[in-house]
């Protein structure tokens, strides 16, 4: 007898960007029938190369699907897709919307209520791991959903991530976990940039300094991953400065709603914001080091 999990085979995917495209490709390679939509036709063509199907219209990514993954910019874009563009109406009754973008917890909870009122369900499932994790299929996925719904969507989440954690049944709990995660990531990255900018200012060999701190008690994953790119003039973009401008603003919003002071997050946010304000928001987030160089009177 087929289980409920076995029925979750036809997957729509909206948002075939630097992370979404490899995630959709991993689903296709895992045996799911993936129909993807993106405003850029070339992204759809790349999904076809990975074994999926390209939708020419948003509605095609929803029509007849068991679930639709939204890997979009923010909650406002998700809301516009589902309700402004009316795409949710094309998803069969009982279908699941899997929201994997980083969004404010309150916005996710509100979206879930609207989706459920339309006879569908929402899985709150933001991810961590960046482009590298998306390509390797080893993302960390923070999930909030009723346990039976989680069991249903678990196989497709496993196809995209190596660590899938159920945090609770209420939409917004996954988004809350992602906010805490991004607070640490943003602060670690900003402090790593501050430390390396000090070494640079004092004339220490940067590669040797990075080698020392990367293997000492001072190290962090963000330092080891982003530190080498801080030394490059034009590093590959795996996550943009503007991503942390958005994510840390979500962190601060969550803190304000809980009346919780987050001074370190606020300082890190200002550093990313200052780099973005100089027109460098699309650069790799390792370039937050430019904020410290500017404070020191350097370009």
């Amino acid at each position: 007898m087929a289980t409920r999990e076995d029925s979750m085979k036809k997957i729509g995917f909206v948002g075939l960007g630097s992370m979404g495209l490899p995630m959709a490709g991993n689903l296709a390679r895992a045996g799911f029938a993936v129909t993807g939509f993106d405003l850029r036709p070339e992204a759809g063509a790349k999904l076809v190369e990975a074994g999926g199907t390209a939708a020419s219209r948003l509605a095609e990514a929803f029509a007849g699907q068991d679930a639709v993954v939204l890997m979009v910019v923010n909650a406002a874009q998700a809301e516009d897709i589902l309700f402004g563009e009316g795409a949710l109406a094309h998803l069969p009754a009982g279908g699941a919307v899997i929201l994997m973008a980083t969004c404010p917890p309150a916005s996710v909870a509100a979206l879930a209520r609207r989706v459920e009122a339309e006879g569908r369900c929402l899985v709150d499932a933001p991810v961590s791991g960046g482009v590298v994790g998306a390509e390797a299929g080893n993302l960390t996925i923070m999930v909030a959903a009723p346990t039976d719904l989680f069991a249903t969507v678990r196989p497709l989440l496993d196809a995209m991530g190596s660590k899938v954690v159920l945090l609770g049944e209420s939409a917004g709990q996954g988004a809350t976990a992602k906010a805490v995660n991004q607070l640490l990531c943003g602060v670690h990255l900003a402090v790593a940039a501050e430390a390396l900018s000090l070494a640079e200012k004092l004339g220490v060999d940067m590669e040797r300094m990075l080698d020392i701190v990367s293997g000492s008690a001072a190290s962090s994953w963000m330092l080891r991953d982003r530190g080498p790119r801080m030394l490059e003039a034009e590093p590959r973009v795996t996550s943009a400065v503007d991503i942390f401008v958005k994510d840390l603003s979500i962190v601060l919003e969550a803190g304000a709603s809980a009346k919780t002071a987050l001074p370190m997050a606020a300082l890190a946010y200002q550093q990313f914001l200052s780099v973005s304000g100089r027109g460098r928001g699309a650069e790799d987030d390792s370039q937050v080091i430019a904020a410290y160089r500017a404070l020191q009177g350097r370009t």
Side-chain angles (χ1 to χ4, degrees):
M1 176 182 292
T3 65
R4 190 177 175 194
E5 290 87 338
D6 291 333
S7 67
M8 193 66 65
K9 290 298 183 183
K10 295 183 292 183
I11 311 299
F13 203 109
V14 179
L16 302 173
S18 58
M19 288 186 66
L21 181 60
M23 290 165 67
N26 286 334
L27 283 171
R29 283 185 285 272
F32 293 91
V34 181
T35 301
F37 175 81
D38 195 275
L39 293 174
R40 299 166 300 117
E42 62 271 21
K46 290 179 180 178
L47 177 60
V48 171
E49 293 174 3
T53 300
S56 59
R57 297 182 301 113
L58 186 58
E60 293 175 18
F62 281 76
Q65 307 299 332
D66 299 315
V68 177
V69 174
L70 297 183
M71 191 61 187
V72 294
V73 174
N74 52 33
Q77 192 173 80
E79 181 179 16
D80 183 61
I81 288 167
L82 295 172
F83 301 104
E85 298 290 334
L88 183 64
H90 296 275
L91 182 66
V97 174
I98 304 175
L99 181 58
M100 306 193 81
T102 301
C103 304
S107 297
V108 175
L111 270 178
R113 289 191 292 270
R114 293 186 66 184
V115 169
E116 289 163 6
E118 297 296 326
R120 283 79 173 175
C121 49
L122 185 138
V123 178
D124 173 19
V127 303
S128 180
V131 175
V132 174
E135 292 173 344
N138 62 6
L139 293 168
T140 294
I141 306 178
M142 296 155 265
V143 189
T147 53
D148 60 338
L149 177 57
F150 175 65
T152 301
V153 302
R154 180 67 188 262
L156 70 97
L157 298 178
D158 285 337
M160 296 181 284
S162 59
K163 188 172 188 177
V164 179
V165 181
L166 179 64
L167 290 147
E169 297 199 352
S170 301
Q173 290 176 300
T176 297
K178 181 61 187 292
V180 173
N181 184 83
Q182 292 308 92
L183 187 160
L184 286 166
C185 287
V187 170
H188 284 177
L189 180 49
V191 170
E194 182 173 301
L196 290 180
S197 72
L198 173 62
E200 184 178 53
K201 177 71 173 180
L202 295 175
V204 177
D205 183 284
M206 292 287 280
E207 291 188 2
R208 293 179 182 178
M209 188 73 249
L210 182 59
D211 180 53
I212 291 169
V213 294
S214 294
S216 74
S219 186
S220 70
W221 189 93
M222 294 300 287
L223 171 66
R224 293 191 302 274
D225 185 74
R226 302 310 205 267
R229 298 207 292 279
M230 291 181 189
L231 277 55
E232 298 176 19
E234 296 182 3
R236 176 196 178 198
V237 179
T238 63
S239 181
V241 167
D242 277 344
I243 296 295
F244 267 111
V245 172
K246 173 181 75 75
D247 289 1
L248 287 174
S249 70
I250 290 172
V251 169
L252 295 174
E253 179 182 330
S257 67
K259 291 184 168 53
T260 300
L262 303 173
M264 300 300 291
L267 287 170
Y269 171 73
Q270 292 297 329
Q271 298 297 70
F272 285 101
L273 188 62
S274 71
V275 177
S276 179
R278 289 196 293 277
R280 302 182 64 176
E283 294 184 22
D284 187 71
D285 57 23
S286 62
Q287 298 312 291
V288 70
I289 194 171
Y292 296 96
R293 289 168 174 158
L295 287 171
Q296 297 160 4
R298 304 174 60 209
T299 58

